[in-house]
Amino acid sequence: MSTKSYVERAKAHKNSAARLLLETIARKESNLAVSVDVASSVDFLAIVDVVGPFVCLVKTHIDILEDFTPQVISDLQALSKKHDFVIFEDRKFADIGNTVALQYSSGVHKIASWAHITNAHPVPGPSIIAGLSSVGLPLGRGLLLLAEMSTKGSLATGAYTDAAVQMARANQDFVIGFIAQRRMEPVDEDEDLLVLTPGVGLDVKGDAMGQQYRTPREVVLESGCDVIIVGRGIYGKDPKLVEDIRAQAKRYQDAGWTAYLERIQA
Ligand code: 6AU
């Protein structure tokens, strides 16, 4: 289990996106990422503005927005400056290198131009990292590999997860860590692959479509993860209930930070 502080890790990290995330976590005393999965741009930006003070990172699924325009990106970037958070587009790339390089750089969303961090399934093998890093590395971006998933019956286990860890280790200039459910023990002192963990909820154990939730304490203290990713636990009741969203964001921030303090003092 890692007892190193986020501050110590920020100082030592070689990837600029990872450093930015670790520094933001330490500065804001928040290891909370909010996943803003709503279809309207107005609701999206309103939620980001409300949760902004409590988070280290905002996670987007930009292709969910039914009224997307490039203005949404400008507004998101302005909120990222206003509230001091990192942007992670949860694109889950999964194709050959040439295709993912185009999907990352081009199209309607031009993800590489605004997302500090994105993620990919390791299923195509190391060529997916080659494709994405050809676009992202010159821009100082970082990539997370989906080593495990939070869903019931996930196929990302065992040898598949081990292979994802090997792929990350071999590409630590661009791969900054994993989407996973637990810390992956490093091979040496210098290795610092972050673990961002979805499937986090304080009130329910899952949804009707196979999602499974654990508490911030289970995720950060018991499983040694670095960032908790929370979506519907924060805005699920009603995306327009601003006061409730603010209270939930604070509640998850406190739970994640308390679990971290307990871990580093262990
Ligand atoms: O808290 P929720 O269940 O409302 O939202 C969880 C968010 C969603 C998922 O697309 C995403 O986390 N997610 C991921 C990611 C981040 O890659 C992987 C996974 O295994 N499970 C998961 O829920 O936006």
Side-chain angles (χ1 to χ4, degrees):
M1 191 61 60
S2 172
T3 53
K4 272 197 198 155
S5 72
Y6 292 118
V7 178
E8 278 175 86
R9 294 168 61 186
K11 282 187 192 139
H13 217 290
K14 291 186 185 75
N15 176 285
S16 57
R19 225 169 26 243
L20 177 68
L21 179 57
L22 288 164
E23 285 165 1
T24 308
I25 293 171
R27 197 162 48 237
K28 295 182 77 177
E29 301 198 340
S30 174
N31 54 20
L32 170 65
V34 177
S35 175
V36 191
D37 303 340
V38 293
S40 133
S41 298
V42 170
D43 288 348
F44 170 80
L45 292 167
I47 293 172
V48 173
D49 200 16
V50 172
V51 302
F54 308 100
V55 303
C56 58
L57 179 148
V58 165
K59 185 176 84 61
T60 59
H61 278 301
I62 206 69
D63 59 355
I64 290 180
L65 293 177
E66 54 197 10
D67 53 359
F68 175 84
T69 66
Q71 185 60 42
V72 176
I73 299 303
S74 307
D75 293 347
L76 176 64
Q77 287 177 311
L79 289 171
S80 148
K81 289 212 172 64
K82 174 180 169 190
H83 294 301
D84 184 21
F85 61 74
V86 177
I87 304 172
F88 164 24
E89 163 57 24
D90 184 3
R91 174 62 179 74
K92 294 189 179 70
F93 293 101
D95 213 322
I96 64 166
N98 184 62
T99 300
V100 296
L102 289 166
Q103 290 172 322
Y104 188 27
S105 62
S106 309
V108 175
H109 297 121
K110 304 183 192 350
I111 293 164
S113 72
W114 52 270
H116 303 101
I117 296 171
T118 192
N119 57 354
H121 285 292
V123 68
S127 55
I128 193 165
I129 301 175
L132 292 169
S133 69
S134 73
V135 174
L137 204 50
L139 297 171
R141 306 306 190 200
L143 181 71
L144 300 166
L145 291 179
L146 281 118
E148 292 177 330
M149 291 197 72
S150 59
T151 38
K152 216 170 279 173
S154 164
L155 305 181
T157 60
Y160 182 90
T161 301
D162 294 343
V165 174
Q166 292 310 324
M167 276 171 61
R169 284 199 177 124
N171 295 278
Q172 288 182 60
D173 51 349
F174 186 52
V175 180
I176 61 169
F178 308 103
I179 296 294
Q181 296 295 308
R182 64 193 156 93
R183 174 180 151 87
M184 307 292 161
E185 282 307 323
V187 280
D188 58 44
E189 275 283 299
D190 290 340
E191 182 177 305
D192 190 4
L193 292 161
L194 308 178
V195 177
L196 281 65
T197 305
V200 178
L202 281 163
D203 302 318
V204 288
K205 288 273 155 231
D207 69 8
M209 298 184 193
Q211 176 67 300
Q212 306 178 108
Y213 293 119
R214 293 183 300 153
T215 64
R217 191 182 163 81
E218 287 171 298
V219 167
V220 175
L221 178 63
E222 294 171 20
S223 299
C225 304
D226 298 312
V227 172
I228 53 171
I229 299 176
V230 185
R232 288 164 289 174
I234 286 178
Y235 55 79
K237 270 195 210 151
D238 179 347
K240 306 232 183 269
L241 286 179
V242 171
E243 282 316 315
D244 189 60
I245 294 171
R246 185 177 289 116
Q248 292 301 332
K250 177 92 185 79
R251 180 177 174 227
Y252 278 93
Q253 178 193 1
D254 289 346
W257 198 252
T258 305
Y260 159 71
L261 290 178
E262 212 175 311
R263 187 176 91 202
I264 58 164
Q265 282 153 15

